[in-house]
Amino acid sequence: MTQTTRHGAWHRVQAHADAFKSHRIRDLFAADERRAERMQVRSGPVLLDYSKNRIDHDGLEALFSLADAMGLRTAIDAMFAGESINSTEQRPALHAALRMPRDAVLEVGGRNVVDDVHAVLSRVRRFADQVRDGQWLGRTGEAITDVVNIGIGGSDLGPRMVCDALSAHAHPRLRTHFVANVDGTLITGLLRHLDPNTTLFVIASKSFGTQETLVNANTARQWFLDQGASEADIAKHFVAVSTNAEKVAAFGIDTDNMFGFWDWVGGRYSLWSAIGLPVMLSVGPDVFDELLAGAHQMDHHFRTAPWQENLPVLLALIGVWYINGMGANTQLVSPYDHGLRQLPAFLQQLDMESNGKSVTRDGKPVERHTGPVVWGYSGINGQHAFYQLLHQGTELIPADFIVSVRNRLSPDAHHKVILSNCIAQAQALMQGRSTEQAVAEMREAGVSEARIRELAPHRTFAGNRPTNMVLLDELTPRSLGALIAMYEHKVFTQGVLWQVNSFDQWGVELGKQLAKRIEAAYDEGGYPDDADASTRALIDLTREGLRAS
Ligand code: F6P
């Protein structure tokens, strides 16, 4: 597609969005009695209802043309074919290969990567089975009771979120803990409650060079040795998940106890790889397989469904409609499910590290806003915290609500409250309440006319606030896999539309470099050469704290 075609497609989207800014969603429902039914699409256990959006058929058509003009089809094919789409790091982005069935073939550089994937999966599975069955014994011959995953970012958020979401399947003997923050109060507080003889540490780091993880891992190892264990005992209590065998060995973990993956798995896309080890330890290999199968089914859907029925593509296009067409800056994710309470944090990394870019793949400044600020929390809790701003604030905040139709773990009396609130919030955000309605309600309640005049503006809701409703049949390993993969592909699609590389993260580097120099200044005195006056002053103000400790 030529530059002119692409500009034309963006222009058409912008023109439709401009024309639509003042349209009311509830009028769209009034004008089309089949709107709800026409704007529901399903892929396996996931249903998306996108009818409560400020968009109509023409707007959607403009977005579909944009997807075509920006080469989405070719980009999807290139990703699944293992082309080097992560151009700045010169590698493919092949997380989809991690969930391909054993008999699939995907050749990259003359190798069938699916064979490699399943070889590692089999090793991880064997190890998980041994630990779960009580055959893997600690230094005193006891079975493992506690698994501590030490990792950060992609080596933490995905497995942590999945372990939480699937806690109903957790092994009764195994407690799983996650240590990401390098603030030592976390690990030292945890270690106080652990028995070194029955604890297994999983040191998870793609690079095995991440400072926070290595500092925590060293503290864990020292604690283990301080409890009377020997260096030889480390092999029974420390395993590593990494792509960097050399650094794993240098840390002191036998590479026989290392589970590898590949540079073509981005950290934030790695939960499907050996990084999922804590998940497999907790819920078992069969449940993990289901998670992979759900994601694989969504991969197939994303590759093959027309844009009109394609869940990740619809979510991405609707997001672009608000971000670029209507000036939205943020995207709320509200899971109405306690098990999914970590999902917003996971999606923050997935989305913001992938699309928080201001240059295109070929290094030119982007022409329009890219990744939104993604935020959220468990929906029902959010209602009592930040929903006020959703209903009556001045920002346009597109929201995804996620809820399960069935929740066997929650009694009906509870689940009914979850479902009715989730649905009601979407309805309230869309319908709002006019001043006339507010006045009528107050009159009916016998409020005085003077008080009505005073309160009416405060009790008016503008409405017209958009939501997507994502309904899972039930929160199962399979639906969770599909849900996560849906968001991965949404993020990828938006990256294609914005022409950014969604698979690198150069923006995390500078702060890390400067932190090293400041750390050296704490040790050696003085300041880093490039420190400004504020940075120098802050170093002086905080030196004291380190000396005191
Ligand atoms: O600093 C950001 C980051 O590189 C993420 O992309 C990554 O998920 C995280 O750090 C952890 O990296 P690693 O797994 O290499 O320790």
Short mmCIF file of all heavy atoms in Angstrom, two decimals, residues 150-157 204-214 241-243 261 266-270 275 349 353 504-505 507-509 512, ligand 1:
data_model
loop_
_atom_site.label_atom_id
_atom_site.label_comp_id
_atom_site.label_asym_id
_atom_site.label_seq_id
_atom_site.Cartn_x
_atom_site.Cartn_y
_atom_site.Cartn_z
N ILE A 150 11.50 -16.27 41.57
CA ILE A 150 12.20 -14.98 41.65
C ILE A 150 12.41 -14.49 40.22
O ILE A 150 13.14 -15.10 39.44
CB ILE A 150 13.55 -15.13 42.39
CG1 ILE A 150 13.29 -15.60 43.83
CG2 ILE A 150 14.31 -13.81 42.39
CD1 ILE A 150 14.55 -15.73 44.69
N GLY A 151 11.72 -13.43 39.86
CA GLY A 151 11.79 -12.88 38.51
C GLY A 151 11.00 -11.59 38.49
O GLY A 151 10.26 -11.29 39.44
N ILE A 152 11.13 -10.83 37.43
CA ILE A 152 10.43 -9.54 37.37
C ILE A 152 9.93 -9.29 35.96
O ILE A 152 10.42 -9.92 35.01
CB ILE A 152 11.37 -8.41 37.90
CG1 ILE A 152 10.57 -7.15 38.30
CG2 ILE A 152 12.46 -8.07 36.90
CD1 ILE A 152 11.36 -6.18 39.18
N GLY A 153 8.98 -8.39 35.80
CA GLY A 153 8.43 -8.09 34.47
C GLY A 153 7.80 -9.33 33.88
O GLY A 153 7.02 -10.04 34.54
N GLY A 154 8.18 -9.67 32.66
CA GLY A 154 7.61 -10.83 32.00
C GLY A 154 7.94 -12.14 32.69
O GLY A 154 7.26 -13.15 32.50
N SER A 155 8.98 -12.13 33.52
CA SER A 155 9.35 -13.36 34.23
C SER A 155 8.62 -13.46 35.56
O SER A 155 8.97 -14.29 36.40
CB SER A 155 10.88 -13.38 34.45
OG SER A 155 11.52 -13.33 33.20
N ASP A 156 7.62 -12.62 35.73
CA ASP A 156 6.84 -12.61 36.97
C ASP A 156 5.34 -12.45 36.69
O ASP A 156 4.51 -13.25 37.15
CB ASP A 156 7.33 -11.44 37.84
CG ASP A 156 6.38 -11.09 38.97
OD1 ASP A 156 6.25 -11.91 39.89
OD2 ASP A 156 5.76 -10.01 38.93
N LEU A 157 5.01 -11.41 35.92
CA LEU A 157 3.59 -11.01 35.84
C LEU A 157 2.69 -12.08 35.24
O LEU A 157 1.58 -12.31 35.72
CB LEU A 157 3.47 -9.70 35.02
CG LEU A 157 4.05 -8.47 35.73
CD1 LEU A 157 4.29 -7.34 34.73
CD2 LEU A 157 3.10 -8.00 36.81
N ALA A 204 13.96 -16.99 37.54
CA ALA A 204 13.41 -16.82 36.19
C ALA A 204 13.87 -15.50 35.59
O ALA A 204 13.51 -14.43 36.08
CB ALA A 204 11.88 -16.87 36.25
N SER A 205 14.68 -15.60 34.57
CA SER A 205 15.14 -14.37 33.91
C SER A 205 15.60 -14.71 32.51
O SER A 205 16.53 -15.52 32.34
CB SER A 205 16.30 -13.74 34.70
OG SER A 205 16.84 -12.65 33.98
N LYS A 206 14.95 -14.12 31.54
CA LYS A 206 15.32 -14.40 30.15
C LYS A 206 16.81 -14.09 29.95
O LYS A 206 17.56 -14.89 29.42
CB LYS A 206 14.46 -13.57 29.20
CG LYS A 206 14.81 -13.77 27.75
CD LYS A 206 13.92 -12.99 26.82
CE LYS A 206 14.46 -13.11 25.40
NZ LYS A 206 13.71 -12.34 24.42
N SER A 207 17.23 -12.93 30.42
CA SER A 207 18.61 -12.50 30.18
C SER A 207 19.57 -13.04 31.26
O SER A 207 20.76 -13.12 31.05
CB SER A 207 18.66 -10.97 30.22
OG SER A 207 18.15 -10.51 31.47
N PHE A 208 19.05 -13.36 32.39
CA PHE A 208 19.82 -13.67 33.60
C PHE A 208 20.80 -12.54 33.93
O PHE A 208 21.87 -12.75 34.48
CB PHE A 208 20.54 -15.02 33.52
CG PHE A 208 20.31 -15.85 34.75
CD1 PHE A 208 19.11 -16.52 34.93
CD2 PHE A 208 21.26 -15.93 35.77
CE1 PHE A 208 18.86 -17.25 36.09
CE2 PHE A 208 21.02 -16.66 36.92
CZ PHE A 208 19.81 -17.31 37.08
N GLY A 209 20.39 -11.33 33.55
CA GLY A 209 21.23 -10.18 33.85
C GLY A 209 20.43 -9.09 34.55
O GLY A 209 20.95 -7.99 34.76
N THR A 210 19.22 -9.38 34.91
CA THR A 210 18.36 -8.35 35.51
C THR A 210 18.72 -8.18 36.98
O THR A 210 18.66 -9.11 37.77
CB THR A 210 16.87 -8.74 35.34
OG1 THR A 210 16.63 -8.88 33.94
CG2 THR A 210 15.95 -7.70 35.92
N GLN A 211 19.13 -6.95 37.29
CA GLN A 211 19.70 -6.70 38.61
C GLN A 211 18.78 -7.12 39.75
O GLN A 211 19.20 -7.79 40.70
CB GLN A 211 20.01 -5.20 38.72
CG GLN A 211 20.75 -4.85 39.97
CD GLN A 211 20.88 -3.35 40.14
OE1 GLN A 211 20.03 -2.58 39.71
NE2 GLN A 211 21.95 -2.93 40.78
N GLU A 212 17.52 -6.71 39.67
CA GLU A 212 16.59 -6.99 40.77
C GLU A 212 16.52 -8.50 41.05
O GLU A 212 16.55 -8.95 42.19
CB GLU A 212 15.17 -6.49 40.43
CG GLU A 212 15.05 -4.98 40.28
CD GLU A 212 15.32 -4.50 38.86
OE1 GLU A 212 16.14 -5.11 38.14
OE2 GLU A 212 14.71 -3.49 38.47
N THR A 213 16.43 -9.26 39.97
CA THR A 213 16.30 -10.71 40.10
C THR A 213 17.56 -11.31 40.69
O THR A 213 17.50 -12.18 41.57
CB THR A 213 15.98 -11.32 38.72
OG1 THR A 213 14.73 -10.76 38.29
CG2 THR A 213 15.88 -12.83 38.76
N LEU A 214 18.71 -10.84 40.24
CA LEU A 214 19.96 -11.42 40.73
C LEU A 214 20.21 -11.05 42.19
O LEU A 214 20.68 -11.88 42.97
CB LEU A 214 21.13 -10.99 39.83
CG LEU A 214 21.02 -11.55 38.40
CD1 LEU A 214 22.22 -11.14 37.55
CD2 LEU A 214 20.90 -13.08 38.40
N VAL A 241 15.26 -20.62 34.91
CA VAL A 241 14.60 -20.56 33.61
C VAL A 241 15.21 -19.37 32.89
O VAL A 241 15.14 -18.24 33.38
CB VAL A 241 13.07 -20.36 33.74
CG1 VAL A 241 12.44 -20.35 32.36
CG2 VAL A 241 12.45 -21.42 34.62
N SER A 242 15.84 -19.63 31.77
CA SER A 242 16.58 -18.55 31.11
C SER A 242 16.94 -18.93 29.68
O SER A 242 16.83 -20.09 29.28
CB SER A 242 17.87 -18.27 31.90
OG SER A 242 18.54 -17.15 31.37
N THR A 243 17.41 -17.92 28.93
CA THR A 243 17.98 -18.21 27.62
C THR A 243 19.51 -18.16 27.71
O THR A 243 20.18 -18.38 26.72
CB THR A 243 17.53 -17.15 26.58
OG1 THR A 243 17.92 -15.86 27.06
CG2 THR A 243 16.03 -17.18 26.35
N PHE A 261 14.65 -21.26 26.98
CA PHE A 261 13.76 -20.86 25.90
C PHE A 261 14.59 -20.07 24.90
O PHE A 261 15.81 -20.24 24.88
CB PHE A 261 12.47 -20.18 26.40
CG PHE A 261 12.60 -18.97 27.26
CD1 PHE A 261 12.19 -17.72 26.81
CD2 PHE A 261 13.10 -19.05 28.55
CE1 PHE A 261 12.27 -16.59 27.60
CE2 PHE A 261 13.20 -17.93 29.37
CZ PHE A 261 12.79 -16.70 28.89
N GLY A 266 9.60 -12.94 23.46
CA GLY A 266 9.74 -11.70 24.22
C GLY A 266 9.38 -11.94 25.68
O GLY A 266 8.51 -12.77 25.98
N GLY A 267 10.02 -11.23 26.60
CA GLY A 267 9.76 -11.43 28.02
C GLY A 267 8.27 -11.37 28.35
O GLY A 267 7.73 -12.23 29.05
N ARG A 268 7.58 -10.37 27.81
CA ARG A 268 6.15 -10.20 28.16
C ARG A 268 5.25 -11.19 27.43
O ARG A 268 4.04 -11.18 27.63
CB ARG A 268 5.73 -8.75 27.90
CG ARG A 268 6.06 -8.23 26.51
CD ARG A 268 5.95 -6.71 26.45
NE ARG A 268 6.37 -6.17 25.16
CZ ARG A 268 7.61 -5.86 24.83
NH1 ARG A 268 8.59 -6.07 25.69
NH2 ARG A 268 7.89 -5.35 23.65
N TYR A 269 5.85 -11.99 26.55
CA TYR A 269 5.09 -13.01 25.81
C TYR A 269 5.54 -14.42 26.24
O TYR A 269 5.29 -15.39 25.53
CB TYR A 269 5.32 -12.84 24.30
CG TYR A 269 4.83 -11.50 23.78
CD1 TYR A 269 5.66 -10.38 23.78
CD2 TYR A 269 3.53 -11.35 23.32
CE1 TYR A 269 5.20 -9.15 23.34
CE2 TYR A 269 3.06 -10.13 22.88
CZ TYR A 269 3.91 -9.02 22.89
OH TYR A 269 3.45 -7.80 22.46
N SER A 270 6.23 -14.50 27.41
CA SER A 270 6.96 -15.75 27.69
C SER A 270 6.25 -16.71 28.62
O SER A 270 6.76 -17.78 28.89
CB SER A 270 8.35 -15.42 28.26
OG SER A 270 8.22 -14.74 29.50
N ILE A 275 9.11 -20.27 31.28
CA ILE A 275 8.79 -19.24 32.29
C ILE A 275 7.49 -19.61 33.01
O ILE A 275 7.25 -19.20 34.15
CB ILE A 275 8.70 -17.83 31.61
CG1 ILE A 275 10.11 -17.34 31.23
CG2 ILE A 275 7.98 -16.80 32.48
CD1 ILE A 275 11.01 -16.93 32.40
N GLN A 349 2.10 -4.29 31.24
CA GLN A 349 3.39 -4.57 30.61
C GLN A 349 3.20 -4.96 29.15
O GLN A 349 3.89 -4.45 28.27
CB GLN A 349 4.16 -5.69 31.34
CG GLN A 349 5.58 -5.81 30.77
CD GLN A 349 6.30 -7.12 31.05
OE1 GLN A 349 5.68 -8.10 31.46
NE2 GLN A 349 7.59 -7.13 30.81
N GLU A 353 4.68 -1.78 27.28
CA GLU A 353 6.06 -2.06 26.86
C GLU A 353 6.09 -2.36 25.36
O GLU A 353 7.10 -2.14 24.70
CB GLU A 353 6.63 -3.24 27.67
CG GLU A 353 8.15 -3.28 27.67
CD GLU A 353 8.74 -4.22 28.73
OE1 GLU A 353 8.68 -5.43 28.52
OE2 GLU A 353 9.25 -3.74 29.75
N ASP A 504 10.20 -4.81 20.76
CA ASP A 504 11.43 -4.38 21.45
C ASP A 504 11.04 -3.49 22.63
O ASP A 504 9.86 -3.22 22.87
CB ASP A 504 12.41 -3.69 20.48
CG ASP A 504 11.81 -2.44 19.84
OD1 ASP A 504 10.73 -1.97 20.27
OD2 ASP A 504 12.41 -1.91 18.88
N GLN A 505 12.01 -3.07 23.42
CA GLN A 505 11.73 -2.26 24.62
C GLN A 505 12.96 -1.44 24.98
O GLN A 505 13.45 -1.51 26.10
CB GLN A 505 11.26 -3.12 25.80
CG GLN A 505 12.17 -4.24 26.26
CD GLN A 505 12.14 -5.45 25.36
OE1 GLN A 505 11.07 -5.85 24.89
NE2 GLN A 505 13.30 -6.01 25.07
N GLY A 507 13.22 1.51 25.56
CA GLY A 507 12.93 2.55 26.56
C GLY A 507 13.22 2.15 27.99
O GLY A 507 13.21 2.99 28.88
N VAL A 508 13.48 0.87 28.25
CA VAL A 508 13.75 0.47 29.63
C VAL A 508 15.23 0.60 29.97
O VAL A 508 15.64 0.43 31.11
CB VAL A 508 13.28 -0.99 29.92
CG1 VAL A 508 11.80 -1.13 29.63
CG2 VAL A 508 14.09 -2.00 29.12
N GLU A 509 16.06 0.95 28.95
CA GLU A 509 17.51 0.85 29.14
C GLU A 509 18.14 1.99 29.92
O GLU A 509 18.97 1.77 30.80
CB GLU A 509 18.19 0.80 27.78
CG GLU A 509 18.24 -0.58 27.26
CD GLU A 509 19.10 -0.68 26.04
OE1 GLU A 509 19.69 0.34 25.62
OE2 GLU A 509 19.16 -1.77 25.49
N LYS A 512 18.08 2.03 33.64
CA LYS A 512 18.93 0.97 34.22
C LYS A 512 20.39 1.41 34.24
O LYS A 512 21.09 1.21 35.22
CB LYS A 512 18.81 -0.32 33.40
CG LYS A 512 17.48 -1.04 33.51
CD LYS A 512 17.54 -2.36 32.75
CE LYS A 512 16.19 -2.99 32.61
NZ LYS A 512 16.17 -4.20 31.80
O1 F6P B 1 13.31 -4.07 31.96
C1 F6P B 1 12.28 -4.61 31.22
C2 F6P B 1 12.48 -6.09 30.97
O2 F6P B 1 13.54 -6.28 30.11
C3 F6P B 1 11.22 -6.74 30.45
O3 F6P B 1 11.08 -6.62 29.10
C4 F6P B 1 11.39 -8.14 30.94
O4 F6P B 1 10.19 -8.86 30.95
C5 F6P B 1 11.94 -7.89 32.32
O5 F6P B 1 12.79 -6.77 32.17
C6 F6P B 1 12.70 -9.03 32.94
O6 F6P B 1 13.75 -9.43 32.12
P1 F6P B 1 14.48 -10.81 32.34
O7 F6P B 1 13.49 -11.90 32.17
O8 F6P B 1 15.56 -10.86 31.33
O9 F6P B 1 15.02 -10.81 33.75
#
